Amino acid sequence: MNDPVFNYTRLKFARKLRGLTAQALCDRLCITTRTLSDYENGSAEPQSIALHKFASVLEFPEEFFFAGDISPLDDNAVSFRSLSRMAAKVRDAVLHKGQLALDLSEWLDKRFETPSVAVPDLRHLTPSAAAETLRSLWMLGDNPIGNMVHLLESKGVRVFSLTEDCTDMDACSFWKADRPFIFLNTQKSVEHSRFDAAHELGHLVLHKHGGIGKAGEIQAHEFASTFLMTEGSVRAYFRIPPTLNKIIADKCIWKVAAVAYVRRLKDLSLITEWQYRSLVVELSKRGYRKSEPGSVLQRETSKLIPMLFQALRDEGITKQSIAKDLKIYTRDIDDLIFNLTLISLKGVTGRGTISAPINSNKLSKLKLVK
Amino acid sequence: MLAQIIQPGSKEHKHALEYFDLSPAICQEVGEKIIGAYNQATPNDARNAAGTYAYLAAIRSLRDILCPEGWQPHREGNIEMVLPVSGDFAITASSGDKNTGRDGRDPKTKNQKGSQTDALISKNQWWPPSGELFPEMESNDPPYDPDQTPTWFLLYHVDSINNETRMELSLPINIDIYTLRVDKWKTRIILPKVMFDGTPIKRTNQQELYSDFDIEIKRKVNE
């Protein structure tokens, strides 16, 4: 049997995923950029001590560097919310983490049948019409949506999280092999994150074949607003006068940010331009521009992943063994799955009591069909 | 006398749907249209709007799906129905009570029925004349005749507790003289229930405003 061969594509991949420039990595390892360049383009192969250092600094098992070729997601195929204010290294890190998520998703797909994809191509429709059509297809009526992540997962969308080092980005989405993926930043407010999820859903149904750009972002925003706050439901609950306290109370019905709710009221001509501006100014003074003060909403997390991990756990397959298969550490899995603190996700052997994930209150509805 | 019940999955059930030229996919689509329409009702709607929307969607979706295949919309008095090319039978739609789509107790229509319905279904008890439930008809069958042609009910019930819509295609034979609801059926063909997500917005309790979304997974055996 041949000895494993160092795969230089994985060194650059790991560096980019950690958001490190070549210089920053060289500084940490006390090597020259020329040396690193030789390693990264395959001109030289690191010896065991150097390899150990790379693995340690980049936080990957050494085995990671001996697996097959790996490349980041194609940035042309990914729609980024808040792209304009995102640093290139953050975007790079997301594209690389996205590939890890694909690897994890593929690993799970080999072992489970999960909800089939029910996300149609609605590019021929206006954003509002697309939102209404999708609600109709998904039989949602005018109901507010309790949990966007669960809804998306039930329609075949894979939803992953991006965590601490990606605070400059809101969310991103893409199609890969006929499967839609959405990444949500868990550093944002719950309300913000729900809107991001709906926004990315807009991209998935409206821009599957590209054409995102600034106009596409506006379309996705309109889609999200209509999808989360249907005209019928907003009109049903709206009463004059639209006082600030009423706005703050009512936005909870749709679990959206106060500013997003006020904007929807304006778009539906339920408030005047002057009322809109006044309310936004007042909301800003109370801190609602950047966060949702007093919000008691729990972060929406995956429902699908705990189910899959629990089923694996029942067979004695732990998160550690999944990580080992993927040649990564469990921390990288945690980062992608909303840091769910299920006992079933831990590497504890033997049977233990299963806790509900932090935010799920209806695990009883989970179904495993054998 | 309890109705003869034909359950999904049986050979008889398959034969029955073939007789009506319906498929499980068509039934599913009608069920989805009913749910979607039912869920359109908001607190601003009139009290019985959800049920009305559901009924309208049931009639329209039957016609939308079947008429391109040659079926014809038909109205007998104020009863909306759809007729197959053969004219062998008529189908109308009605909401049913919680027993709809369930084995055991016979369901009743949710709403009272009048003399026109009574006239239409009174001859159903003599159907089929040959004794065979789904008789083969000659190609030169007589056209639809309200005094002869059986009228089947697509009976549906939106169950917002269990997040499902249950349906059956049933042959009514009696209207209760006190409640004025159809309460007896000769044959009940139970249709696959249609699951749905989301709780009708007319509920005002905040905890009940939202519902969860079911996810099913299945372990593959090869890995």
Side-chain angles (χ1 to χ4, degrees):
Chain A
M1 194 173 149
N2 295 332
D3 287 337
V5 178
F6 176 78
N7 187 336
Y8 61 89
T9 64
R10 289 187 163 249
L11 179 57
K12 189 173 183 180
F13 182 94
R15 175 173 65 79
K16 293 264 187 181
L17 186 145
R18 298 299 178 216
L20 291 174
T21 62
Q23 187 63 56
L25 181 58
C26 290
D27 289 347
R28 289 199 196 181
L29 295 173
C30 299
I31 59 172
T32 65
T33 52
R34 174 64 187 268
T35 303
L36 178 62
S37 175
D38 286 346
Y39 291 152
E40 287 191 344
N41 64 28
S43 302
E45 187 170 324
Q47 298 304 304
S48 61
I49 294 177
L51 180 64
H52 182 74
K53 285 183 178 175
F54 278 130
S56 174
V57 169
L58 296 172
E59 298 179 72
F60 279 97
E62 289 183 22
E63 298 77 40
F64 175 82
F65 299 98
F66 292 90
D69 284 354
I70 193 168
S71 56
L73 301 174
D74 175 8
D75 62 348
N76 290 320
V78 180
S79 81
F80 283 99
R81 187 145 151 74
S82 311
L83 180 62
S84 57
R85 64 169 186 269
M86 194 189 312
K89 72 172 186 178
V90 172
R91 188 192 61 197
D92 270 354
V94 172
L95 292 171
H96 287 72
K97 283 191 174 182
Q99 183 56 50
L100 284 193
L102 285 184
D103 289 349
L104 174 59
S105 183
E106 189 181 335
W107 191 95
L108 293 168
D109 279 338
K110 282 182 183 169
R111 290 157 180 83
F112 292 97
E113 287 175 20
T114 55
S116 53
V117 177
V119 181
D121 181 356
L122 300 174
R123 63 184 146 156
H124 55 290
L125 298 176
T126 64
S128 291
E132 288 164 6
T133 300
L134 193 60
R135 271 186 162 269
S136 175
L137 289 172
W138 287 358
M139 297 184 290
L140 296 172
D142 271 332
N143 297 351
I145 295 163
N147 189 311
M148 272 300 296
V149 175
H150 293 184
L151 171 63
L152 290 167
E153 289 184 327
S154 73
K155 303 303 177 189
V157 182
R158 284 282 151 79
V159 186
F160 291 104
S161 58
L162 293 165
T163 49
E164 66 277 9
D165 50 353
C166 297
T167 50
D168 286 342
M169 62 91 67
D170 293 329
C172 68
S173 62
F174 57 89
W175 283 87
K176 187 76 177 180
D178 290 330
R179 166 84 69 190
F181 289 80
I182 288 180
F183 289 78
L184 300 173
N185 189 347
T186 55
Q187 303 301 304
K188 304 294 178 184
S189 74
V190 177
E191 291 85 348
H192 193 128
S193 197
R194 280 171 53 83
F195 200 92
D196 288 344
H199 178 102
E200 295 306 323
L201 177 61
H203 282 310
L204 292 175
V205 299
L206 292 168
H207 308 128
K208 184 176 181 180
H209 302 278
I212 297 174
K214 194 172 179 182
E217 291 303 318
I218 294 170
Q219 290 170 354
H221 193 88
E222 182 184 335
F223 174 94
S225 184
T226 308
F227 189 77
L228 287 173
M229 298 170 276
T230 65
E231 181 172 355
S233 65
V234 171
R235 287 187 184 280
Y237 285 97
F238 179 75
R239 297 289 180 272
I240 56 169
T243 62
L244 201 62
N245 287 339
K246 180 103 171 57
I247 295 289
I248 291 168
D250 283 357
K251 61 127 179 165
C252 298
I253 294 169
W254 298 274
K255 301 184 182 181
V256 295
V259 173
Y261 176 50
V262 169
R263 176 59 193 243
R264 182 70 172 140
L265 294 178
K266 173 180 167 286
D267 290 343
L268 291 173
S269 301
L270 290 169
I271 57 175
T272 63
E273 179 74 29
W274 182 84
Q275 285 175 310
Y276 170 69
R277 287 175 187 275
S278 301
L279 285 166
V280 169
V281 168
E282 282 303 309
L283 287 169
S284 296
K285 284 180 186 170
R286 293 202 194 182
Y288 281 91
R289 277 298 256 191
K290 293 186 176 175
S291 65
E292 296 301 307
S295 173
V296 294
L297 293 184
Q298 291 182 311
R299 180 159 303 285
E300 296 182 358
T301 61
S302 171
K303 180 175 181 175
L304 175 68
I305 298 289
M307 289 176 69
L308 300 175
F309 276 64
Q310 177 64 62
L312 292 166
R313 172 74 185 76
D314 290 344
E315 298 175 18
I317 300 174
T318 64
K319 188 168 62 179
Q320 274 83 352
S321 43
I322 301 171
K324 192 175 177 186
D325 265 9
L326 297 173
K327 297 177 174 53
I328 58 177
Y329 288 131
T330 54
R331 198 200 97 179
D332 280 319
I333 294 181
D334 289 338
D335 280 354
L336 292 169
I337 61 170
F338 301 87
N339 282 309
L340 289 168
T341 54
L342 268 175
I343 285 178
S344 63
L345 297 187
K346 293 180 180 172
V348 182
T349 54
R351 287 193 173 276
T353 307
I354 298 163
S355 305
I358 300 170
N359 302 318
S360 177
N361 55 3
K362 289 193 175 179
L363 269 180
S364 58
K365 284 194 151 186
L366 304 183
K367 291 177 186 172
L368 173 60
V369 182
K370 295 204 174 184
Chain B
M1 186 186 76
L2 284 177
Q4 175 192 12
I5 297 178
I6 301 176
Q7 291 285 7
S10 65
K11 196 175 172 184
E12 207 175 11
H13 192 272
K14 188 166 178 273
H15 176 61
L17 287 191
E18 281 170 1
Y19 174 79
F20 288 104
D21 210 10
L22 298 174
S23 66
I26 289 175
C27 301
Q28 168 86 14
E29 191 173 345
V30 172
E32 289 176 359
K33 296 289 183 189
I34 290 172
I35 295 162
Y38 186 91
N39 279 343
Q40 291 292 337
T42 75
N44 274 358
D45 276 296
R47 194 168 56 123
N48 297 326
T52 303
Y53 293 159
Y55 166 74
L56 296 174
I59 294 293
R60 176 169 172 173
S61 60
L62 278 173
R63 290 171 173 172
D64 279 351
I65 296 165
L66 298 174
C67 289
E69 306 296 323
W71 294 52
Q72 291 292 324
H74 182 76
R75 189 176 296 112
E76 194 66 31
N78 59 6
I79 299 173
E80 303 287 348
M81 38 178 79
V82 62
L83 307 177
V85 179
S86 66
D88 290 350
F89 53 84
I91 297 177
T92 184
S94 175
S95 58
D97 67 11
K98 63 183 179 183
N99 293 322
T100 303
R102 285 178 168 160
D103 208 342
R105 294 180 64 181
D106 275 356
K108 295 183 177 67
T109 53
K110 204 166 182 178
N111 299 314
Q112 296 180 342
K113 302 296 177 189
S115 57
Q116 288 177 336
T117 303
D118 190 36
L120 268 181
I121 70 175
S122 59
K123 85 277 183 178
N124 282 349
Q125 58 186 308
W126 310 115
W127 178 264
S130 63
E132 190 182 355
L133 186 58
F134 304 114
E136 293 290 335
M137 304 300 281
E138 300 296 328
S139 57
N140 57 351
D141 297 332
Y144 172 79
D145 177 356
D147 295 328
Q148 298 289 332
T149 310
T151 304
W152 291 73
F153 275 35
L154 176 73
L155 203 63
Y156 58 86
H157 177 77
V158 180
D159 184 341
S160 52
I161 295 171
N162 295 309
N163 276 5
E164 64 186 26
T165 287
R166 295 187 297 277
M167 299 188 294
E168 57 183 76
L169 191 58
S170 299
L171 191 64
I173 51 175
N174 186 65
I175 293 178
D176 182 85
I177 57 170
Y178 299 108
T179 64
L180 299 181
R181 289 169 169 82
V182 177
D183 67 339
K184 285 191 172 56
W185 313 83
K186 188 155 194 174
T187 302
R188 296 173 57 206
I189 303 165
I190 308 294
L191 301 174
K193 59 189 172 191
V194 181
M195 306 302 296
F196 62 92
D197 304 316
T199 308
I201 197 172
K202 65 181 181 181
R203 296 186 178 189
T204 52
N205 182 312
Q206 190 72 9
Q207 288 302 312
E208 293 182 349
L209 193 59
Y210 316 101
S211 70
D212 211 351
F213 302 98
D214 285 350
I215 293 175
E216 292 189 4
I217 62 172
K218 188 176 179 182
R219 189 72 162 97
K220 292 179 180 172
V221 291
N222 57 332
E223 292 282 343

